[in-house]
């Protein structure tokens, strides 16, 4: 279960996310959550870096930016403890998310999910800090590029053989940006290929690389709202017989 920055933007929202994770656990599921940094934290950190240095050192930039997701993860874990469940937050490197060494745009090579699986076996809710990994080549913390928590979520789902739910402040994938086109319709399903095109041409609902990962590993993504129980959009294989020629309009 992945929650974006606007879903964890303040303490009350963090408590809400904690409740959603606990509810899933109480339905009998083994739950792994990943969260983005709170609200506009990452923008704030980037701004801060540039106030200190006109050309921030790439390694230190990733050290700085990766803190945002750690903060959010630790806070969600605390809120879960208050609900009477045991949770553990892990950094990307603690969770075994191994990447290449390319700072600010690292690619995930593999996930050594042992620590996550052990924690699940101990009946814990596991929180993994999004957007970050660790390079064995450089022994350094890396970040995955803007919006990278979606990639964390899909890669974890692939590694654990899990379904992937991506929660945000929009209830799914729409035929156009619902903030601009009020009568845009929510799509019940969309194929990987269509979603790839949409993400590549301006739709911000899912990160392009996350959709690529999902297609390559056959992970179904359920993109849905943090703030309601309604069914969202399933991103998955295959076209139906009556596939429309135009599915959606995007812009950038
Ligand atoms: N916090 C990072 C960003 O704003 C990663 C993410 O949101 O997924 O780009
Ligand atoms: Mg963010």
């Amino acid at each position: 279960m992945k929650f974006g920055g606007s879903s964890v933007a303040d303490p009350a929202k963090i408590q809400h996310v904690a409740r959603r994770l606990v509810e899933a656990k109480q339905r009998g599921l083994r739950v792994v959550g990943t969260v983005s940094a709170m609200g506009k934290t990452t923008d704030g950190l980037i701004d801060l870096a540039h106030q200190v240095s006109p050309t921030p050192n790439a390694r230190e930039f990733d050290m700085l930016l990766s803190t945002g997701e750690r903060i959010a993860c630790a806070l969600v874990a605390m809120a879960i403890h208050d609900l009477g469940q045991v949770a553990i937050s892990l950094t990307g490197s603690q969770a075994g998310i191994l990447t290449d060494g390319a700072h600010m745009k690292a690619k995930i090579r593999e996930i050594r999910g042992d620590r996550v699986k052990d924690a699940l076996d101990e009946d814990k809710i596991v929180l993994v800090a999004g957007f970050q990994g660790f390079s064995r080549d450089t022994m350094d913390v890396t970040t995955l590029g803007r919006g990278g928590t979606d990639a964390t979520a899909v890669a974890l789902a692939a590694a654990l053989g899990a379904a992937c739910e991506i929660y945000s402040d929009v209830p799914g994938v729409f035929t156009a940006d619902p903030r601009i086109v009020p009568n845009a319709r929510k799509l019940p399903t969309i194929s990987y290929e269509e979603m790839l095109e949409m993400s590549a041409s301006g739709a911000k609902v899912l990160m392009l690389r996350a959709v690529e990962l999902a297609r390559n590993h056959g992970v179904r993504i359920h993109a849905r709202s943090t703030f309601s129980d309604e069914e969202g959009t399933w991103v998955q294989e295959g076209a139906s017989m009556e596939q429309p020629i135009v599915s959606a309009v995007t812009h950038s």
Side-chain angles (χ1 to χ4, degrees), residues 94-227:
Q94 286 174 320
I97 299 182
L98 302 180
T99 69
D100 62 21
H103 287 295
M104 301 181 294
K105 50 170 194 278
K107 289 219 161 49
I108 298 174
R109 282 187 180 154
E110 65 169 303
I111 295 189
R112 290 283 170 88
D114 308 359
R115 188 144 182 208
V116 172
K117 285 180 192 146
D118 288 347
L120 288 172
D121 288 342
E122 291 161 12
D123 215 30
K124 291 175 179 153
I125 296 175
V126 184
L127 277 315
V128 178
F131 170 62
Q132 58 189 270
F134 177 79
S135 164
R136 285 232 171 115
D137 302 343
T138 59
M139 301 301 272
D140 276 327
V141 171
T142 54
T143 63
L144 309 179
R146 297 306 307 265
T149 308
D150 283 351
T152 304
V154 173
L156 274 168
L160 297 168
C164 183
E165 298 198 312
I166 295 195
Y167 290 83
S168 69
D169 56 357
V170 292
V173 180
F174 281 68
T175 51
D177 185 338
R179 284 167 293 207
I180 295 171
V181 184
N183 59 351
R185 283 177 299 108
K186 185 174 71 189
L187 298 162
T189 62
I190 189 159
S191 70
Y192 293 125
E193 302 304 323
E194 289 166 318
M195 195 64 234
L196 279 174
E197 285 207 36
M198 288 179 68
S199 290
S201 60
K204 292 188 190 66
V205 55
L206 292 173
M207 186 211 201
L208 176 63
R209 276 172 49 203
V211 184
E212 281 171 342
L213 264 168
R215 181 190 58 180
N216 292 347
H217 296 275
V219 174
R220 288 175 80 210
I221 300 176
H222 188 191
R224 56 188 306 195
S225 166
T226 309
F227 306 108

Side-chain angles (χ1 to χ4, degrees), residues 2 4-6 36-43 69 131 146-149:
K2 179 264 178 175
S6 58
S36 295
M38 295 172 69
K40 300 259 172 260
T41 299
T42 307
D43 291 332
E69 273 67 15
F131 170 62
R146 297 306 307 265
T149 308

